[in-house]
Amino acid sequence: MLLEKYGFTFKKSLGQNFLIDSNILRAQVEAAALDKTTGVIEVGPGIGALTEQLAIRAGRVVAFEIDQRLIPILEESLRPYDNVHIIHQDVLKADLEQVVKTYLRGLDKLKVVANLPYYVTTPILLHFIESGLRFEHIVVMVQKEVADRLTATAGSKDYGSLTVFVQYYTEPELIKVVPKTVFVPRPQVDSALVKLSLRKEPPVQVVDEDLFFKTVRACFAQRRKTLLNNLLHQLVGKERKRELVQVLHELDIDPSRRGETLTIAEFARLANGLQNLVG
């Protein structure tokens, strides 16, 4: 086995859990709907099991691997494929636009397919979504707990600011729950395959996106507190309580509600209504 040949040992600090079930790999690749006009970005290729399947189906593949010890292993396992480029870099520090221009130029579609390191799942997802690149799909393996948050609905315990952010830009879909038994070494929690399809435009209209997301974060700052309390302490200022109460009533939003009960449409209405009060 390649890992034994190179004397590789897993680093817990890098969240290394390699998928060993070919059926799961197949499901992930099928969900991504790849063809030779597609460019793919992968993160954390490990020893290249998923990378190989991507290389077979996609036009070109760029894989980011942060662990120098895996580079020679990947070079050996992926030697038959001339459409794969391995970048030894932290994807969070990468200029994704430049990477696409350099390695994936001329392809019609752009997608992310990856088994994300669990300790940096959220920053990586945000990095891709905020890059401005028009990814058609992002198909990733994440902790089941994160998948629940990405796909949550208003009023549920998993619904939070991450939910609102991701659903503002994408339409998330749970593809498959994946047991911890199909990884080496075995993680402590189950995982899930999630597909995020980027929206052509957001599902709601907001006057100021920055204020919209500030409003969402403020409302979830302390989940057990009411909208009124969170907004006063996090965004508006306690001295403007009377004005805030008036705005909430005008918007037909009960000040005693909690952030987790608001739909994305209600958050948009709230943020738009706070323009004069916050700005």
Side-chain angles (χ1 to χ4, degrees):
M1 188 179 177
L2 274 175
L3 294 180
E4 293 173 355
K5 175 181 175 180
Y6 285 87
F8 181 85
T9 54
F10 294 92
K11 271 191 180 178
K12 193 173 182 180
S13 63
L14 294 177
Q16 291 174 327
N17 303 97
F18 296 167
L19 184 63
I20 56 173
D21 189 319
S22 59
N23 292 322
I24 304 297
L25 287 173
R26 197 173 302 115
Q28 187 169 11
V29 172
E30 286 175 2
L34 305 174
D35 59 34
K36 291 300 180 181
T37 69
T38 306
V40 177
I41 294 179
E42 184 188 8
V43 180
I47 59 173
L50 175 60
T51 322
E52 181 177 23
Q53 297 304 313
L54 298 174
I56 291 169
R57 293 164 176 79
R60 289 195 292 280
V61 180
V62 174
F64 285 91
E65 178 52 62
I66 199 171
D67 190 345
Q68 174 65 48
R69 301 172 305 153
L70 284 167
I71 302 303
I73 299 176
L74 286 165
E75 288 174 347
E76 179 172 336
S77 67
L78 298 171
R79 191 169 292 141
Y81 306 98
D82 61 3
N83 61 338
V84 178
H85 184 80
I86 306 297
I87 299 179
H88 176 225
Q89 185 183 15
D90 181 347
V91 70
L92 292 173
K93 298 177 181 176
D95 181 339
L96 294 175
E97 186 175 358
Q98 190 58 49
V99 167
V100 170
K101 283 181 181 177
T102 304
Y103 301 107
L104 302 175
R105 180 190 293 274
L107 294 165
D108 295 338
K109 290 168 283 192
L110 185 60
K111 302 184 182 184
V112 175
V113 187
N115 298 323
L116 295 180
Y118 290 164
Y119 73 107
V120 284
T121 293
T122 299
I124 290 175
L125 281 178
L126 300 189
H127 187 47
F128 282 123
I129 293 171
E130 292 176 330
S131 69
L133 293 169
R134 289 304 306 167
F135 294 104
E136 186 174 329
H137 303 304
I138 298 174
V139 182
V140 287
M141 182 85 71
V142 298
Q143 281 188 9
K144 171 68 165 50
E145 173 189 334
V146 175
D148 290 341
R149 291 167 62 198
L150 298 177
T151 57
T153 55
S156 67
K157 65 179 178 63
D158 299 307
Y159 186 73
S161 55
L162 176 64
T163 314
V164 176
F165 179 90
V166 168
Q167 293 186 15
Y168 181 82
Y169 288 110
T170 78
E171 294 181 70
E173 176 189 356
L174 177 66
I175 301 296
K176 192 180 189 67
V177 175
V178 180
K180 52 194 168 193
T181 52
V182 299
F183 293 90
V184 172
R186 185 181 297 187
Q188 296 181 328
V189 295
D190 288 335
S191 303
L193 270 177
V194 178
K195 180 177 183 177
L196 308 177
S197 301
L198 265 77
R199 299 180 186 272
K200 289 185 169 58
E201 57 184 41
V204 292
Q205 287 190 324
V206 297
V207 178
D208 182 337
E209 278 192 358
D210 185 52
L211 177 57
F212 172 71
F213 290 119
K214 281 182 180 176
T215 301
V216 172
R217 288 193 296 271
C219 291
F220 284 106
Q222 295 191 51
R223 290 185 71 97
R224 297 182 65 83
K225 284 195 171 183
T226 63
L227 285 175
L228 180 62
N229 280 330
N230 270 330
L231 288 170
L232 286 175
H233 287 88
Q234 303 292 328
L235 194 64
V236 176
K238 290 181 281 187
E239 71 282 355
R240 309 192 75 174
K241 180 177 180 178
R242 182 177 295 177
E243 296 164 84
L244 176 58
V245 170
Q246 183 180 340
V247 168
L248 289 170
H249 283 311
E250 288 173 354
L251 296 171
D252 197 25
I253 295 175
D254 187 338
S256 66
R257 288 173 65 181
R258 291 177 178 169
E260 66 201 54
T261 69
L262 267 66
T263 64
I264 294 179
E266 287 177 308
F267 274 120
R269 200 163 82 242
L270 176 58
N272 290 344
L274 291 174
Q275 278 286 316
N276 295 330
L277 202 56
V278 177

